[in-house]
Amino acid sequence: MYRQRNLRQYWRQLILALVSVSFVACQSVSTNTPKLQHNAYQPTPYVQVKHPEWSKNAIIYQINTRQFTPEGTFAAAQQQLPRLKELGVDILWLMPIQPIGEVNRKGRLGSPYSIKDYYGVNSEFGSIEDIKAFIAAAHQQGMYVILDWVANHTAWDSNLVTEHPDWYIRDWKGDFRPTPWWDWSDIIELDYSQPALRQYMTEAMKYWVEDVGFDGFRADVAGFVPLDFWNNVRKELDAIKPVFMLAEFEGRDFHAQAFDMTYGWTWHQAVHAIVQGHADVNKLYVYYSWNEKYYPQNIMRLLGVSNHDQNAWEGTEFEMFADALHAVMALSVVSEGMPMIYNGQEVGNSKRLAFFERDAIVWHDENDNFIQHENGALYKKLFALKKANSALWNANWGARMIPVHNSQPAQVLSFVRQNDHNKVFAVFNFSDKPQRIRFKENLHHGEYEEYLSGDKEAFNANSTLQLAAWDYRIYVR
């Protein structure tokens, strides 16, 4: 009996000892595991691109060289640079300037997006010396110039067709092919599975930055070209100097390593649908929700009421937005994004500019005076606000939009952007009827000056606001 009792006591002590060792071991694993995996749980910035400092509150202006002046040349465009600087422009985007293909050409002069020689200059616009002089003059004005780059395709008679026919995609018959499903019969597609093509295209882009002086690129149909190509291009261009890159595409991935800015197509579609009566303000809520949650803050979206494609094929800004035009222009400046103006908007150009022919913008009235249009005056005033008010700056330099919920959410968009130095409270009636609005919460409370009128206004829990159809207010402090 005694020996059995001692035996039971021995086993009990052994089991306790094993449990104790096991507990200590578990503690050791529990304590050490987070240390071993510590870095795996640290968030890392998704955006690796370093935006050039000069883009922090920039305005972008698109130049269609062929239509920009009666002469349609770089030299004539250069004379307009002081005026653009006074308007508030920082980045000039030039549509493609290379020679245009003649085989399967559309129209008499062809599309600038049908590139015949990536290293050449279209004699219609001038010489290489002329474009260098244009860029130098822009730099003297404190502006920067980016070139529209067509990487997806070339003209049928590009020098690359005979020199490197293996650089092109073929159709099921073995022939060169335009981009499928589109009416782009004047171009043929390149094949980016070819490393030599990637090197050629990268070296060509570096030439225009290093030798000619451009400050970056707008990438035509950027999503039709593999993203890893653009990622490497950005790295090689930034080794030359800080560049600015705009992708003609939408999507978060473009921002990680390659592009500073992508298109805000869905923003334009949303405001257009609202103005045309096909949607209400909820469509903008969807856009801004995605803009905040899907995209990082440290990126830029291109916002504008017109560009070369929309003007030529969809309608002028007057056709698209009618009485709501001023409200849409204002929203493009005070919401998150970089505002864009297409050449001619500042004088109220009301025609669809021909795409394949000469069709110069009319800048002067019958007395040869430069046209002073209300749209130009509004843009100039709005651009000045964006530059002066740091809450409205781009990417991480600026502040996020915070919704201010109101009593008419289907008709009225209201929000605040604020930081330690500035605050903007903006209200837009995106309906064709007057609206009296009450606001919830107290984010917007306080005293302001309405930016465009100069009127003083104070908001508290009992405040209401009356807005006419398509009217808006921008309160600042």
Side-chain angles (χ1 to χ4, degrees):
M1 176 76 68
Y2 177 77
R3 292 180 60 189
Q4 289 179 340
R5 185 166 59 246
N6 284 347
L7 188 61
R8 286 197 298 270
Q9 186 175 357
Y10 169 77
W11 282 112
R12 186 181 301 114
Q13 290 173 343
L14 179 61
I15 291 170
L16 288 173
L18 291 173
V19 169
S20 178
V21 170
S22 176
F23 177 73
V24 171
C26 288
Q27 274 194 318
S28 176
V29 171
S30 176
T31 301
N32 292 334
T33 299
K35 291 182 179 178
L36 291 173
Q37 298 186 6
H38 179 73
N39 291 334
Y41 295 104
Q42 291 299 314
T44 57
Y46 182 76
V47 177
Q48 301 299 313
V49 167
K50 184 177 180 181
H51 307 302
E53 178 75 17
W54 43 264
S55 67
K56 68 181 180 183
N57 56 4
I59 313 298
I60 190 166
Y61 185 101
Q62 183 187 4
I63 294 179
N64 183 341
T65 307
R66 180 182 286 167
Q67 319 298 18
F68 187 57
T69 63
E71 300 85 355
T73 64
F74 301 131
Q78 184 176 326
Q79 303 306 310
Q80 299 297 319
L81 294 179
R83 177 182 67 78
L84 296 180
K85 179 64 177 179
E86 184 181 0
L87 180 62
V89 172
D90 303 284
I91 301 174
L92 302 169
W93 151 22
L94 291 185
M95 287 171 64
I97 64 171
Q98 292 97 337
I100 295 170
E102 298 176 28
V103 175
N104 296 327
R105 171 179 283 189
K106 291 188 174 185
R108 188 174 59 89
L109 298 177
S111 167
Y113 295 89
S114 178
I115 304 293
K116 188 174 182 179
D117 175 8
Y118 283 101
Y119 284 87
V121 175
N122 187 348
S123 59
E124 174 190 349
F125 303 148
S127 65
I128 188 66
E129 290 76 19
D130 292 333
I131 187 58
K132 286 182 178 180
F134 176 91
I135 295 171
H139 288 169
Q140 288 176 354
Q141 293 283 337
M143 294 186 287
Y144 298 83
V145 189
I146 65 173
L147 176 61
D148 210 327
W149 194 260
V150 187
N152 177 67
H153 51 261
T154 75
W156 285 83
D157 49 347
S158 165
N159 59 305
L160 300 183
V161 172
T162 54
E163 296 172 11
H164 300 284
D166 55 317
W167 288 1
Y168 289 85
I169 295 175
R170 306 299 180 111
D171 65 14
W172 63 274
K173 296 177 292 185
D175 298 331
F176 298 119
R177 72 168 202 195
T179 300
W181 308 101
W182 292 91
D183 182 25
W184 294 353
S185 58
D186 56 340
I187 58 90
I188 49 178
E189 276 203 313
L190 290 164
D191 180 4
Y192 275 81
S193 69
Q194 303 293 327
L197 166 63
R198 290 175 174 235
Q199 181 178 1
Y200 171 89
M201 196 65 70
T202 304
E203 293 299 325
M205 296 177 76
K206 289 165 65 176
Y207 161 78
W208 288 99
V209 170
E210 191 166 22
D211 293 12
V212 183
F214 278 96
D215 301 295
F217 296 93
R218 178 264 190 186
D220 185 61
V221 290
F224 288 7
V225 176
L227 184 55
D228 63 334
F229 166 77
W230 295 119
N231 291 343
N232 182 69
V233 163
R234 178 59 183 259
K235 182 169 58 178
E236 296 202 28
L237 293 176
D238 272 342
I240 300 171
K241 68 177 182 180
V243 294
F244 186 86
M245 299 287 287
L246 163 63
E248 189 205 14
F249 231 75
E250 283 189 290
R252 177 177 58 200
D253 293 347
F254 294 93
H255 293 282
Q257 299 179 51
F259 291 95
D260 302 275
M261 185 159 68
T262 54
Y263 266 48
W265 278 323
T266 46
W267 179 88
H268 191 278
Q269 291 163 0
V271 287
H272 185 238
I274 293 167
V275 171
Q276 295 295 319
H278 304 311
D280 60 25
V281 172
N282 283 285
K283 199 165 184 67
L284 272 174
Y285 298 152
V286 172
Y287 171 82
Y288 287 118
S289 176
W290 276 75
N291 188 63
E292 179 167 340
K293 295 300 295 182
Y294 177 69
Y295 291 88
Q297 182 176 358
N298 193 26
I299 59 99
M300 306 178 207
R301 307 291 301 282
L302 180 69
L303 304 184
V305 301
S306 188
N307 60 39
H308 65 286
D309 282 323
Q310 288 160 343
N311 172 271
W313 312 116
E314 299 174 36
T316 68
E317 61 265 34
F318 300 100
E319 293 176 83
M320 300 194 78
F321 297 109
D323 293 338
L325 177 58
H326 284 183
V328 179
M329 289 165 54
L331 185 62
S332 76
V333 178
V334 301
S335 70
E336 290 181 44
M338 182 184 292
M340 173 194 152
I341 181 170
Y342 179 51
N343 53 198
Q345 285 187 257
E346 65 267 47
V347 292
N349 171 55
S350 59
K351 66 177 177 179
R352 301 188 184 191
L353 300 173
F355 204 77
F356 307 118
E357 312 291 343
R358 286 298 313 283
D359 188 15
I361 297 166
V362 177
W363 297 104
H364 297 85
D365 62 21
E366 60 276 7
N367 298 318
D368 203 32
N369 296 315
F370 189 84
I371 297 171
Q372 302 295 328
H373 195 275
E374 61 178 350
N375 290 6
L378 178 58
Y379 267 130
K380 183 176 181 179
K381 194 167 180 65
L382 290 169
F383 293 164
L385 173 63
K386 180 170 179 83
K387 293 182 185 304
N389 193 301
S390 59
L392 301 181
W393 289 1
N394 302 318
N396 276 351
W397 288 293
R400 300 237 76 146
M401 296 166 61
I402 305 173
V404 175
H405 300 291
N406 63 70
S407 58
Q408 305 294 332
Q411 292 78 35
V412 178
L413 173 72
S414 49
F415 60 88
V416 159
R417 296 183 72 184
Q418 64 179 354
N419 57 25
D420 293 339
H421 307 288
N422 299 109
K423 185 172 184 177
V424 174
F425 172 41
V427 188
F428 292 82
N429 178 14
F430 280 118
S431 74
D432 59 0
K433 295 179 175 58
Q435 302 290 339
R436 178 170 291 280
I437 314 110
R438 290 184 176 275
F439 303 97
K440 303 174 183 178
E441 307 297 339
N442 59 10
L443 176 65
H444 65 294
H445 287 183
E447 297 182 354
Y448 299 86
E449 178 179 298
E450 204 288 313
Y451 177 69
L452 296 175
S453 67
D455 294 340
K456 306 297 183 182
E457 188 80 44
F459 289 95
N460 55 44
N462 299 317
S463 298
T464 63
L465 183 64
Q466 180 73 34
L467 290 180
W470 309 118
D471 200 3
Y472 63 98
R473 299 284 189 275
I474 302 171
Y475 297 102
V476 298
R477 72 177 191 197

